[in-house]
Amino acid sequence: MSNFLPINTILVPQGAEYKAVCRGLSGITGSIPTVVAIPVGMKPLLKYLQQGQFLAPKSRVLIMGLCGSLSDRYTVGDLVLYQDCIYQGKQQECDRTLTTQLHSLLPTPHSPLNLVNSLTSDRVISSAAEKRRLGETLSADVVDMEGFTALEFCNAAGVSVAILRVVSDDCQHNIPDLTSAINSDGSLNPFPLAMAMLRQPLAAIRLIRGSLAALKVLEEVTNLLFSGSSQNTVQISSEHS
C-alpha cells in the first residue's frame, strides 16, 4: 500500500463521523482503505456485522469516530487510541501490533496521542456526574457505543482491530440525552433528536460545538494517517474549546 498503515477497512459510525473520514481521505492518491459506515449502538452494529461480508479473516480494521470523556484528563478535541474496551465486566483488547504502529505514527510534542481504556455503553451517557462516576468506578477514560461489540466480533473472527477516536464531549458538562433519537437500526431519527436538543439548549449548543471541533480533528488525522505525511511531524488542530 502507498500509505504506511496496513489497514484494509475503516469502520466509522454513519452520518457526520463517516463524512469527516471520507473528507479526510478525499484527494489522497494511491490505495486507501475501504470506508464502511456502521450503525450507531451495540445491537444494531452486531446485527450489521453478522450480515456483512466485508471483513475477511486476517484483515486489519481501524475503527474511527467520536467518543465522550469520562476523565478530567481528556477534553474536547483530544485524540485517543484504545487499548481495550469493557462492557458489563467483560473486556476485549485491541490488536497490540496495529495499535503500536498507530501510536508510533501519531504522537507529537504538540498533540499527544493518548492511550486509553474505554467503556462501551448501550445508551447515551448524558450526565456529567454519571460520566465521572463511571470513569472512577470502572477505571475507564472514554465512552462510546460500538467499541466492545466490534472488538468482540472481530477478535472472534480473527480480524485485527485498532480504535482511534476523538473526544467530542467532556465530563464537566451535561449533554442532551439522545438515546431516544437512535432508531433500532442504529440510525438517528431527526425529530426526537431535535426535541432532545430543544429541551436542553445550552447543553445542545455545547455538544454541537464540541462535535464540530472533534470532527475537524477526525478529518485531519484521517488525512495525515493515509497521505503519508504522518512520517513527518503531525500537526493536529488544537483549536478546540
Side-chain angles (χ1 to χ4, degrees), residues 54-210:
F54 50 84
L55 295 179
K58 304 221 181 280
S59 64
R60 290 169 298 274
V61 172
L62 177 60
I63 298 171
M64 302 185 79
L66 307 183
C67 62
S69 175
L70 302 177
S71 163
D72 290 334
R73 292 191 299 277
Y74 307 107
T75 188
V76 172
D78 284 352
L79 201 56
V80 293
L81 184 62
Y82 288 18
Q83 298 181 100
D84 55 47
C85 286
I86 56 170
Y87 174 70
Q88 293 188 347
K90 295 179 287 185
Q91 182 185 51
Q92 291 287 333
E93 291 198 357
C94 296
D95 183 83
R96 290 189 179 180
T97 304
L98 203 51
T99 301
T100 300
Q101 283 178 308
L102 276 165
H103 194 257
S104 68
L105 281 174
L106 280 171
T108 75
H110 311 287
S111 178
L113 179 59
N114 305 286
L115 279 168
V116 297
N117 302 313
S118 79
L119 166 69
T120 298
S121 173
D122 52 14
R123 60 185 176 84
V124 176
I125 310 295
S126 57
S127 153
E130 185 180 9
K131 281 188 180 184
R132 291 193 296 274
R133 181 179 60 78
L134 287 168
E136 289 164 8
T137 56
L138 300 175
S139 297
D141 302 300
V142 297
V143 61
D144 69 32
M145 296 181 70
E146 299 85 25
F148 182 90
T149 301
L151 278 178
E152 187 174 48
F153 182 88
C154 291
N155 287 344
V159 173
S160 301
V161 180
I163 303 180
L164 181 67
R165 291 194 180 238
V166 183
V167 174
S168 60
D169 51 282
D170 61 30
C171 67
Q172 298 298 321
H173 304 93
N174 296 338
I175 62 171
D177 187 353
L178 306 180
T179 303
S180 63
I182 301 172
N183 294 323
S184 59
D185 64 355
S187 62
L188 286 175
N189 191 327
F191 183 70
L193 180 65
M195 293 306 294
M197 294 287 207
L198 287 170
R199 276 194 290 271
Q200 294 173 275
L202 290 177
I205 290 167
R206 190 177 288 113
L207 176 64
I208 291 167
R209 285 179 59 196

Side-chain angles (χ1 to χ4, degrees), residues 20-21 23-25 28 64 79 106 166 213-227 229 234-239:
V21 168
R23 283 195 303 272
L25 291 172
I28 292 178
M64 302 185 79
L79 201 56
L106 280 171
V166 183
L215 288 166
K216 185 181 178 194
V217 174
L218 183 64
E219 179 183 340
E220 288 178 4
V221 75
T222 303
N223 183 270
L224 288 162
L225 269 178
F226 295 101
S227 66
S229 56
V234 177
Q235 300 276 359
I236 304 291
S237 169
S238 58
E239 300 166 10

